[in-house]
Amino acid sequence: MSKHTIVVCDHIHEDGLNILQNTEDINYVYAADIDKVALLDVIKDADVAITRSSTDVDEKFLNAATNLKAIIRAGVGYDNVDMEGCSKRGIIAMNVPTANTIAAVELTMAHMLSCMRKFPYAHNQLKNDRIWKREDWYGNELYGKKLGVIGFGNIGHRVALRAKSFEMDVVTYDPYIPSTKATDLGIKYTTNFDDILACDIITIHTPKNQETLDMIGEEEIAKMKDGVILINCARGGLYNEEALVNNLKSGKIAMAGIDVFKKEPATDHPLLDLDNVTVTAHLGANTKESQKKIATQAAENAIESARGIAYPNALNLPIDESKIPTFVKPYIELTQKMAFLAAQLDKSAIRSISVCAHGEIKGYLDSLATFATVGALAVSAGDEINYVNAKFIAEEKGIKFDTCEVNHCSGYNNKVTIKITTEKRVNTISGTVFDEDVQRIVELDGFDFDIEPKGKMILMRNNDVPGVIGEVGKLLGDNKINISDFRLARGKDSALAVILVDESVNHKILDQIKTLEAAISVAYAEV
């Protein structure tokens, strides 16, 4: 078995390292404790690298990493990644944007409460100065205050919900979401930014880009209420720091809760000299729970990208993910996984790829088709395929494309169907996403299922006769293959079984299953 090399350049939680160590087809290299010059020698053999903020993915790094296909930034930010350099070299850059969601949400609420009640200063007076003066610390309540939430993504909408539980009046501004995403949760939605500036407290939860850099400056602060409170636990530079300092000094801004700075570490920042600021040293992801999630997600994403299965949260795709609604992203990933699965069911030349969609998701068919192409061709093209060259490789192979909108689809608000036609047969897989990100395959070649698109799968089409499950179970048991799940769907004359197993299955075992009297066809896939 050929192995993919994944180099861990910075420290991550041991749970992520364990995943890499215990994955059969991964050559795991731990390089977090070596200096960054020595790292350049280690990185040359990497297929995928996992980094954090301690490693600069700059020109030197990229020039040394001649075999690199993907880079995982184990965290939300990617300021230390040369995105243009990665794109020029065909390297897919990814981050892990949701693993620290709850940690960032709760830190935001902590800063909000601290600003209202001045807890850090009251604590310091009693604990360090040993002074008991209750009259110094008359604060304010969150109850009844108007909160403006800029950005209603994973973190922003959770902050809004928690603020609602404090019985605050919450309004959000986010031009990239449908208004119903907010209003369905009982949150007011506005397209007028001045509505946000009129709030008692303002918190910002946007990415850092040209549109959001210095989003709040002197002009915006001048429109705010006297005594406004500002919170930033997102990215440094979203508030203009000079304007922030000036207006904190004048009292226009009563308090500010700041976790992030434009340049870090910020140990000599003028904000630190003010007594109406609560500050923390970029602690948004600093919980044990979030560090574990970040490490495990980074490891799993690194393995998927090394295998060419999927590139979750890719940052330099031809599709600008910041311009598409959040609900579309899990469908994009699901589509690629389904195409990858469908292509494995019949390992012969692909003649055509069709992507059909029902519901609101059908408005993003072009994006879905791009990801389906990468998934389908990853089986044959392997490491050669990426989002930049997928279309060209497909055209060279003479593969035809087709997309279609489906107007009626019983039972699902949104559904995507992949149909891959090969020289031998047609493979069809449909899927949907429940809640926000629960991906499920709901149909395979006309049979209804409910399967997570993940793991090692044996797919067996068989005559619907008694004893088949027992025969397959015994055969796999004899070969020391453990069954983790067994899903069976029945049709008119036949049945389709999807058997999830813990160990890889070789051709010899598949041939044994094919010899069963009831077996019609047998395939194996890993997603």
Side-chain angles (χ1 to χ4, degrees):
M1 177 191 295
S2 61
K3 290 193 173 187
H4 309 285
T5 297
I6 296 177
V7 176
V8 178
C9 303
D10 294 318
H11 294 283
I12 62 173
H13 193 280
E14 63 181 8
D15 281 18
L17 302 179
N18 290 337
I19 290 172
L20 296 171
Q21 280 181 314
N22 296 320
T23 301
E24 201 172 319
D25 62 337
I26 297 301
N27 175 33
Y28 151 67
V29 179
Y30 186 72
D33 292 326
I34 67 174
D35 67 65
K36 299 309 175 184
V37 175
L39 176 64
L40 298 180
D41 288 327
V42 176
I43 203 70
K44 69 181 188 299
D45 296 321
D47 296 298
V48 178
I50 297 176
T51 73
R52 299 206 73 176
S53 56
S54 298
T55 299
D56 287 328
V57 183
D58 52 16
E59 188 174 1
K60 286 183 180 178
F61 183 100
L62 294 172
N63 286 340
T66 54
N67 198 46
L68 199 65
K69 306 299 185 301
I71 180 115
I72 315 291
R73 171 64 172 84
V76 178
Y78 47 91
D79 300 348
N80 59 324
V81 179
D82 179 359
M83 206 62 64
E84 184 178 351
C86 288
S87 297
K88 285 180 179 178
R89 293 165 173 82
I91 298 169
I92 307 299
M94 293 161 278
N95 66 347
V96 184
T98 61
N100 69 335
T101 295
I102 299 302
V105 169
E106 292 183 357
L107 183 68
T108 300
M109 297 306 297
H111 269 288
M112 204 181 298
L113 286 163
S114 292
C115 285
M116 295 298 278
R117 299 297 295 269
K118 302 182 178 65
F119 278 135
Y121 299 101
H123 167 90
N124 183 66
Q125 186 184 74
L126 179 59
K127 182 78 183 294
N128 298 325
D129 299 338
R130 301 302 169 106
I131 297 172
W132 185 286
K133 291 186 68 177
R134 296 173 63 205
E135 61 271 20
D136 285 351
W137 307 113
Y138 283 97
N140 294 285
E141 299 172 2
L142 291 179
Y143 174 83
K145 299 299 187 296
K146 192 164 191 176
L147 174 67
V149 180
I150 306 171
F152 205 70
N154 283 316
I155 294 172
H157 94 265
R158 287 178 170 85
V159 169
L161 287 175
R162 282 154 179 78
K164 284 277 288 181
S165 73
F166 279 84
E167 298 183 71
M168 299 183 76
D169 181 14
V170 186
V171 59
T172 187
Y173 172 86
D174 190 332
Y176 296 113
I177 66 166
S179 60
T180 53
K181 182 176 179 183
T183 56
D184 285 352
L185 297 174
I187 309 296
K188 295 175 186 175
Y189 176 83
T190 185
T191 56
N192 184 355
F193 197 60
D194 285 350
D195 292 338
I196 298 294
L197 302 180
C199 291
D200 301 302
I201 305 170
I202 299 170
T203 181
I204 190 164
H205 302 282
T206 69
K208 183 178 179 180
N209 53 39
Q210 285 299 114
E211 185 180 2
T212 61
L213 187 64
D214 291 332
M215 191 174 188
I216 301 291
E218 287 285 0
E219 185 178 341
E220 289 74 24
I221 294 172
K223 293 181 180 180
M224 294 178 186
K225 289 182 175 182
D226 291 343
V228 68
I229 291 174
L230 302 184
I231 309 293
N232 184 9
C233 295
R235 306 298 297 167
L238 302 181
Y239 294 155
N240 181 284
E241 291 181 348
E242 185 178 352
L244 197 60
V245 170
N246 291 339
N247 286 277
L248 280 162
K249 286 180 177 179
S250 72
K252 173 72 176 182
I253 301 172
M255 289 286 293
I258 304 297
D259 181 54
V260 287
F261 298 82
K262 194 169 184 178
K263 291 184 179 179
E264 297 177 353
T267 54
D268 191 28
H269 198 284
L271 282 171
L272 306 185
D273 298 326
L274 305 179
D275 59 6
N276 54 345
V277 179
T278 65
V279 290
T280 44
H282 203 146
L283 303 183
N286 276 36
T287 65
K288 294 176 181 177
E289 295 88 348
S290 72
Q291 291 303 305
K292 180 177 178 179
K293 290 176 191 173
I294 287 170
T296 56
Q297 286 185 24
E300 289 169 353
N301 293 353
I303 292 167
E304 285 191 344
S305 59
R307 292 171 176 167
I309 296 174
Y311 301 87
N313 305 303
L315 299 162
N316 58 342
L317 302 182
I319 302 159
D320 186 350
E321 285 196 288
S322 68
K323 296 294 194 317
I324 61 176
T326 304
F327 91 93
V328 177
K329 296 178 183 180
Y331 279 96
I332 284 177
E333 184 177 337
L334 172 64
T335 299
Q336 182 167 330
K337 288 181 178 180
M338 291 195 302
F340 184 72
L341 173 58
Q344 291 179 77
L345 299 182
D346 171 22
K347 296 180 177 64
S348 60
I350 296 173
R351 293 300 178 219
S352 67
I353 301 171
S354 174
V355 182
C356 295
H358 159 80
E360 195 175 351
I361 194 65
K362 69 185 180 184
Y364 303 89
L365 269 170
D366 288 344
S367 299
L368 297 175
T370 298
F371 281 74
T373 304
V374 173
L377 295 183
V379 176
S380 57
D383 292 342
E384 295 177 11
I385 191 77
N386 61 46
Y387 298 103
V388 179
N389 64 19
K391 181 180 177 182
F392 302 103
I393 290 179
E395 287 175 351
E396 288 175 2
K397 293 177 177 289
I399 297 172
K400 295 179 180 178
F401 292 91
D402 178 44
T403 59
C404 65
E405 297 182 2
V406 180
N407 294 322
H408 301 287
C409 177
S410 176
Y412 302 103
N413 292 329
N414 291 282
K415 181 179 175 183
V416 178
T417 299
I418 305 293
K419 183 168 73 173
I420 294 182
T421 304
T422 71
E423 289 182 333
K424 296 179 181 178
R425 54 171 288 178
V426 177
N427 300 297
T428 304
I429 302 180
S430 298
T432 192
V433 176
F434 297 107
D435 297 326
E436 289 186 353
D437 57 1
V438 180
Q439 301 172 16
R440 286 292 184 269
I441 292 171
V442 296
E443 190 176 316
L444 272 167
D445 288 340
F447 290 89
D448 293 333
F449 278 98
D450 180 6
I451 308 167
E452 184 181 3
K454 182 179 181 180
K456 303 174 176 67
M457 305 178 186
I458 300 170
L459 295 94
M460 184 180 75
R461 183 84 172 265
N462 59 274
N463 294 314
D464 194 5
V465 296
V468 175
I469 295 176
E471 289 181 333
V472 174
K474 183 178 185 306
L475 193 153
L476 292 175
D478 291 343
N479 284 280
K480 302 189 183 310
I481 301 293
N482 189 49
I483 297 174
S484 60
D485 198 0
F486 197 119
R487 301 293 177 96
L488 183 69
R490 303 172 72 183
K492 254 187 179 181
D493 304 312
S494 63
L496 179 63
V498 177
I499 308 156
L500 278 77
V501 294
D502 291 338
E503 294 82 23
S504 296
V505 176
N506 58 37
H507 290 292
K508 181 180 176 183
I509 297 172
L510 294 177
D511 289 340
Q512 291 177 37
I513 298 174
K514 290 175 184 177
T515 63
L516 296 177
E517 187 176 347
I520 298 171
S521 64
V522 180
Y524 175 72
E526 294 189 10
V527 180

